Amino acid sequence: MGIIYNEKAKTFTLHTQNTTYQMQIDAYGFLLHLYYGRKTDGVMDYLLTYADRGFSGNPQDTGNDRTYSLDVLPQEFPCRLTGDFRSPVLDLVNADGSFGCDLRYQGYEICDGKYNLKGLPAVYAAEEEAQTLIIYMKDQVTGLQVELLYGVLPEYDVITRSAKVINTEEDKIRLTKAQAACIDFLHGEFDVISFYGRHAMERNMQRTSVGHGAFVIGSRRGTSSHQYNPFVMLADKNATETSGECYGFSLLYSGNFLAAAEKDQFDQTRLIMGIHPENFEFLLKEGETFWAPEVMMVYSADGFEKMSNCYHKAVREHVCRGRFKLERRPVLINNWEGTYFDFTGDKLLEMAKEAASCGVELFVMDDGWFGKRDDDNSGLGDWQVNEKKLGCTLSELADRIHNLGMKFGIWYEPECISEDSDLYRAHPDWAFTVPGRRPTRGRNQLVLDFSREDVRNHIFDEMTKVLDKADVDYLKWDFNRSISDIYCAVLPAERQGEVPHRYVLGLYEFLDRLGKRYPDMLIEGCSGGGGRFDAGMLHYTSQIWCSDDTDAIERLKIQYGTSFAYPVSAVGSHVSACPNHQTGRIVPFESRATVAMAGTFGYELGPAKLSEEEKQQIQEQIAEFKKYYDVIHFGNYYRLTNAMEEGPYAAWEFAKEDGSEALVSVVASRVRTNDPGVRIKLRGLKENQIYLVNGEEYPGGALMHGGLLLEEAKKEYQSWNYHIVMK
Ligand code: GLA
């Protein structure tokens, strides 16, 4: 049983295969957090201490007992008004203008399967794979009800949290903060690990210690953003890839978010995560409900890689949906870096022909096929095929591509609108604009108000007109700016604070509808590369273009950071032209492929410019990718080196769970004279089994503890794939 209620101790205990999470209803009906960590039995309330702490208030319920204070005790779902001065997860303004609420325990329910969230992405599982705990809380004065939702997937070591807030009273309340998760740690010195970046350089790993005060990251850009990823870890000071305690928190949400780790006056650490409280307000009238986006938590007692592999498996199998989640993704070629806007149907067909002859399976026509769109200043919103530019209908182009034995895909940016477009001229009020002001442009475009059903319906209809007629196997859903000037022309003033969240709900509704209408169409997410790379989007698009930076050497860092929370099957990665268009760097063709293979794999270049030798190499690379596909996409992933540190090599490994096969990829970051040699210790093999590496035999223990002796790099950015099979 994953969830146990102990009537005597009034505890709820959630067990996964290797972890335990415990809460307790105390004598006053407050819900205290007791423990999260390595699997254990017992009631953990003996860890709590009670003392008269100056300036930490006491609830009236405790009479004259000054030793009870919620400013000190670990809480499960802290709100203002109970004497806790730390950061709450739920905050609100009541009808009388007062702030906060006082939630007390009402009851619970345990059921098989995993709860769903209305309109939001959530981890899903079959009845026998998961259990749900609902804890009912209520404010006696205002009648506000909160249902705390917990999902337990024992086999994956995953625990999810969300909350449903319901206003049962006649009076309105205004939510000003509604986050899903809070973990109070009674003790421990932590590092917080987060992933920051910018356009074309996403998810750089950063490790800092949690000191007194708060460490806060988040996004106010309307999307989860390039700047900070909605995934954070708390780790032991000494935790490494293979040892030490760490906790992961991944938010299934693609809009504004905030994650904060704060050490308090008694050296306790509180971690909270959820929607960003800035740019947020949600009005609840009588009977109305708010659902907080879900946080997916994983604890590992054995370092980061164990945690990452739990996430990889759970995201792949219980977040991603649809037919492609476990299917081999087609090797694609995308024309963007090959042509940018400068193409015709014939030119694309030529590209496709060359690519098909090399074994590429899917041709993707990127930006520029619709409306008036020969550069990025116009046309967004006019989703009519530019048949003049293509020289044929879309369906004819699709047929020609299909006749080459390839699949066919196209690019869309449904959420945006150019001021120079017929759609904008007809409906300027559909773009986010604050009344009386001129909206900020981003890439010379504005954002459509996707919180509005009529706006979404129009775009949806325009898209289906195109997609119903042509046989489209793949769609790239892009979004190329941050959202500003948020104002919904059809909502009253008191509801304007809801628009950023309603936008995200609108986006999810749209993607859900699209996925259901075209279940055989593979959808790849994108936002100027990886500006919306989060577990929420992965519920709708089973892969996401990882970064607009296609330089293989830069990608080492980007893909390293991405690997902490997201599986390789989600990472869009392509081989691009040389010198690289973003950095001008020259990297050998095979090394560009080695890096792209740690992803969905494809090409983003003009094949006509390639030499015969390179075309031959493409065939070999594709054959190699197909050969190793299972171990790459379904195996465990091991970061053998830290890409954030300068070293002579970057290395990573994929290994099947049963240890029968592994693939070790290595890229030399620089050539060294008189190279001292590098031995890399492998992981995930069986100690006592014999493995074959390049025809030589080695015991698994030798490769893991002695290491694999790497070949010496003879040219800059040389790379190797070592295939390792059990004999
Ligand atoms: C974004 C994407 C690119 C490409 C362009 C097209 O930058 O990330 O891959 O699709 O838009 O305009």
Side-chain angles (χ1 to χ4, degrees):
M1 272 271 276
I3 303 174
I4 300 162
Y5 176 62
N6 176 337
E7 176 67 45
K8 195 159 154 255
K10 299 259 180 295
T11 53
F12 294 102
T13 307
L14 319 181
H15 287 303
T16 69
Q17 208 172 36
N18 300 296
T19 75
T20 296
Y21 187 106
Q22 197 174 70
M23 303 161 261
Q24 184 175 49
I25 313 150
D26 76 4
Y28 312 107
F30 292 114
L31 189 64
L32 302 181
H33 174 79
L34 292 186
Y35 177 76
Y36 184 28
R38 193 191 280 259
K39 193 162 191 170
T40 181
D41 289 323
V43 175
M44 308 293 277
D45 60 358
Y46 69 91
L47 292 170
L48 304 179
T49 54
Y50 296 88
D52 181 358
R53 314 275 188 192
F55 289 82
S56 288
N58 321 109
Q60 294 266 347
D61 314 50
T62 62
N64 289 332
D65 179 6
R66 294 200 205 170
T67 67
Y68 183 104
S69 177
L70 288 171
D71 198 27
V72 182
L73 287 165
Q75 294 186 67
E76 197 52 32
F77 198 71
C79 312
R80 218 194 274 257
L81 261 196
T82 52
D84 183 0
F85 292 91
R86 294 167 290 179
S87 203
V89 281
L90 181 72
D91 208 0
L92 51 96
V93 184
N94 295 295
D96 61 5
S98 63
F99 294 101
C101 59
D102 175 354
L103 297 176
R104 307 288 177 109
Y105 176 75
Q106 293 290 302
Y108 77 95
E109 207 178 308
I110 295 174
C111 45
D112 286 340
K114 164 75 180 43
Y115 63 84
N116 289 320
L117 298 176
K118 195 168 162 239
L120 283 166
V123 170
Y124 64 93
E127 291 273 292
E128 63 283 3
E129 288 174 313
Q131 272 199 313
T132 290
L133 165 68
I134 309 172
I135 302 181
Y136 297 94
M137 307 289 290
K138 188 171 180 181
D139 182 309
Q140 298 300 342
V141 175
T142 63
L144 181 83
Q145 290 181 3
V146 176
E147 295 177 11
L148 303 180
L149 303 167
Y150 297 84
V152 183
L153 278 75
E155 295 299 308
Y156 295 78
D157 281 330
V158 162
I159 296 177
T160 65
R161 288 192 60 177
S162 179
K164 186 176 164 190
V165 184
I166 312 141
N167 182 12
T168 60
E169 292 290 288
E170 248 173 64
D171 286 335
K172 298 176 198 171
I173 58 157
R174 267 188 297 131
L175 299 181
T176 53
K177 190 174 187 184
Q179 301 198 312
C182 166
I183 306 279
D184 276 345
F185 295 91
L186 286 169
H187 61 112
E189 286 294 315
F190 293 108
D191 280 345
V192 58
I193 296 169
S194 58
F195 300 87
Y196 69 93
R198 54 187 183 275
H199 175 231
M201 196 63 217
E202 301 87 339
R203 291 173 295 285
N204 297 269
M205 188 227 219
Q206 172 176 263
R207 183 171 184 164
T208 22
S209 58
V210 180
H212 288 277
F215 174 89
V216 184
I217 57 151
S219 165
R220 300 179 194 85
R221 294 168 178 272
T223 60
S224 45
S225 89
H226 299 88
Q227 285 70 15
Y228 293 101
N229 194 260
F231 171 73
V232 288
M233 290 160 63
L234 278 186
D236 240 14
K237 289 246 159 274
N238 303 322
T240 66
E241 282 291 340
T242 51
S243 69
E245 292 193 289
C246 62
Y247 299 83
F249 303 90
S250 178
L251 183 65
L252 277 78
Y253 192 59
S254 313
N256 295 335
F257 77 95
L258 177 138
E262 182 166 10
K263 198 191 239 187
D264 73 9
Q265 54 184 334
F266 300 107
D267 300 336
Q268 307 181 117
T269 300
R270 171 171 290 181
L271 185 293
I272 56 171
M273 192 180 215
I275 293 188
H276 204 305
E278 284 178 42
N279 306 318
F280 173 81
E281 223 176 57
F282 216 94
L283 189 74
L284 291 184
K285 291 190 177 161
E286 187 184 1
E288 286 183 340
T289 297
F290 180 85
W291 304 75
E294 179 168 277
V295 175
M296 188 180 176
M297 309 186 296
V298 173
Y299 162 82
S300 155
D302 305 307
F304 311 148
E305 74 186 19
K306 176 93 185 296
M307 182 212 64
S308 292
N309 282 315
C310 288
Y311 274 113
H312 291 183
K313 229 173 146 202
V315 169
R316 208 163 54 215
E317 295 171 12
H318 292 279
V319 173
C320 293
R321 294 179 300 171
R323 92 159 235 229
F324 297 98
K325 70 173 198 179
L326 299 177
E327 221 176 76
R328 183 174 77 72
R329 312 289 163 75
V331 174
L332 67 78
I333 183 157
N334 177 304
N335 73 305
W336 179 242
E337 288 197 11
T339 65
Y340 295 103
F341 290 102
D342 183 17
F343 60 82
T344 60
D346 284 345
K347 195 167 169 182
L348 296 182
L349 207 64
E350 273 315 303
M351 273 181 92
K353 258 188 214 152
E354 296 268 10
S357 71
C358 299
V360 177
E361 299 163 312
L362 160 67
F363 181 83
V364 180
M365 173 169 68
D366 210 278
D367 195 356
W369 56 266
F370 53 90
K372 184 183 119 197
R373 184 76 174 167
D374 289 324
D375 58 37
D376 58 10
N377 293 305
S378 63
L380 291 177
D382 296 341
W383 297 110
Q384 298 84 35
V385 181
N386 185 344
E387 293 179 359
K388 205 165 148 226
K389 180 167 177 174
L390 295 185
C392 60
T393 65
L394 188 71
S395 141
E396 281 161 352
L397 181 63
D399 289 348
R400 283 180 202 154
I401 304 271
H402 285 135
N403 287 340
L404 299 170
M406 288 181 118
K407 292 182 183 305
F408 176 64
I410 54 174
W411 178 96
Y412 266 102
E413 190 172 357
E415 298 155 83
C416 281
I417 182 166
S418 308
E419 286 158 277
D420 184 1
S421 68
D422 292 340
L423 186 69
Y424 188 76
R425 284 181 280 274
H427 299 284
D429 58 315
W430 284 9
F432 277 136
T433 312
V434 176
R437 298 180 195 276
R438 299 205 300 162
T440 307
R441 293 173 175 153
R443 206 194 191 196
N444 232 349
Q445 64 201 47
L446 305 181
V447 180
L448 283 169
D449 182 354
F450 256 44
S451 75
R452 283 175 64 168
E453 205 182 349
D454 56 341
V455 174
R456 295 200 303 272
N457 284 346
H458 172 85
I459 299 294
F460 192 83
D461 290 346
E462 290 301 297
M463 285 177 75
T464 54
K465 273 185 215 159
V466 173
L467 297 173
D468 283 350
K469 256 193 250 147
D471 196 359
V472 176
D473 308 289
Y474 162 107
L475 187 144
K476 178 171 167 189
W477 180 296
D478 208 343
F479 184 55
N480 281 307
R481 55 160 295 174
S482 300
I483 311 179
S484 63
D485 305 273
I486 297 180
Y487 184 88
C488 176
V490 297
L491 275 185
E494 62 178 3
R495 292 220 177 258
Q496 291 301 327
E498 301 173 15
V499 183
H501 181 58
R502 283 174 178 265
Y503 179 94
V504 181
L505 294 179
L507 167 70
Y508 290 151
E509 185 272 336
F510 196 123
L511 282 163
D512 206 48
R513 222 180 336 153
L514 195 67
K516 285 190 175 125
R517 183 163 175 136
Y518 305 104
D520 294 327
M521 184 173 76
L522 171 62
I523 308 180
E524 175 154 357
C526 178
S527 175
R532 200 160 52 185
F533 202 119
D534 54 67
M537 279 309 278
L538 286 172
H539 198 55
Y540 306 91
T541 67
S542 31
Q543 61 192 59
I544 299 175
W545 180 227
C546 186
S547 177
D548 270 351
D549 188 346
T550 60
D551 176 333
I553 302 307
E554 301 260 293
R555 276 287 185 119
L556 292 174
K557 256 190 205 169
I558 301 170
Q559 294 179 188
Y560 171 81
T562 307
S563 77
F564 279 83
Y566 308 103
V568 164
S569 57
V571 175
S573 194
H574 302 162
V575 175
S576 61
C578 192
N580 179 265
H581 289 195
Q582 290 82 42
T583 60
R585 191 182 263 126
I586 293 172
V587 176
F589 201 48
E590 62 275 11
S591 302
R592 282 176 270 151
T594 300
V595 176
M597 275 188 209
T600 55
F601 196 61
Y603 293 84
E604 182 133 352
L605 40 73
K609 292 185 193 135
L610 297 176
S611 66
E612 283 311 312
E613 195 196 336
E614 283 170 323
K615 285 184 202 162
Q616 180 59 36
Q617 272 180 292
I618 293 189
Q619 293 187 30
E620 288 160 13
Q621 289 165 358
I622 293 175
E624 201 178 2
F625 179 65
K626 287 185 182 167
K627 183 169 155 202
Y628 300 144
Y629 187 84
D630 280 355
V631 66
I632 293 177
H633 277 205
F634 303 116
N636 282 331
Y637 184 84
Y638 300 94
R639 293 171 287 264
L640 300 181
T641 57
N642 179 346
M644 296 304 288
E645 285 168 6
E646 283 296 315
Y649 293 85
W652 60 96
E653 178 190 345
F654 311 96
K656 284 198 175 155
E657 208 148 5
D658 63 4
S660 62
E661 184 187 353
L663 183 73
V664 176
S665 299
V666 183
V667 178
S669 314
R670 57 174 193 268
V671 184
R672 302 184 297 180
T673 48
N674 215 354
D675 195 305
V678 174
R679 293 111 194 134
I680 291 196
K681 293 180 183 175
L682 306 190
R683 303 212 279 274
L685 305 179
K686 293 270 176 263
E687 301 265 348
N688 300 322
Q689 295 291 336
I690 299 297
Y691 289 86
L692 283 172
V693 189
N694 291 337
E696 299 284 329
E697 292 188 6
Y698 304 88
L703 293 171
M704 293 202 292
H705 310 308
L708 175 73
L709 177 63
L710 300 182
E711 281 167 56
E712 195 181 316
K714 294 287 180 216
K715 64 177 178 187
E716 204 170 27
Y717 308 130
Q718 195 171 345
S719 77
W720 300 268
N721 270 333
Y722 294 94
H723 189 217
I724 295 167
V725 275
M726 199 189 269
K727 212 179 141 195

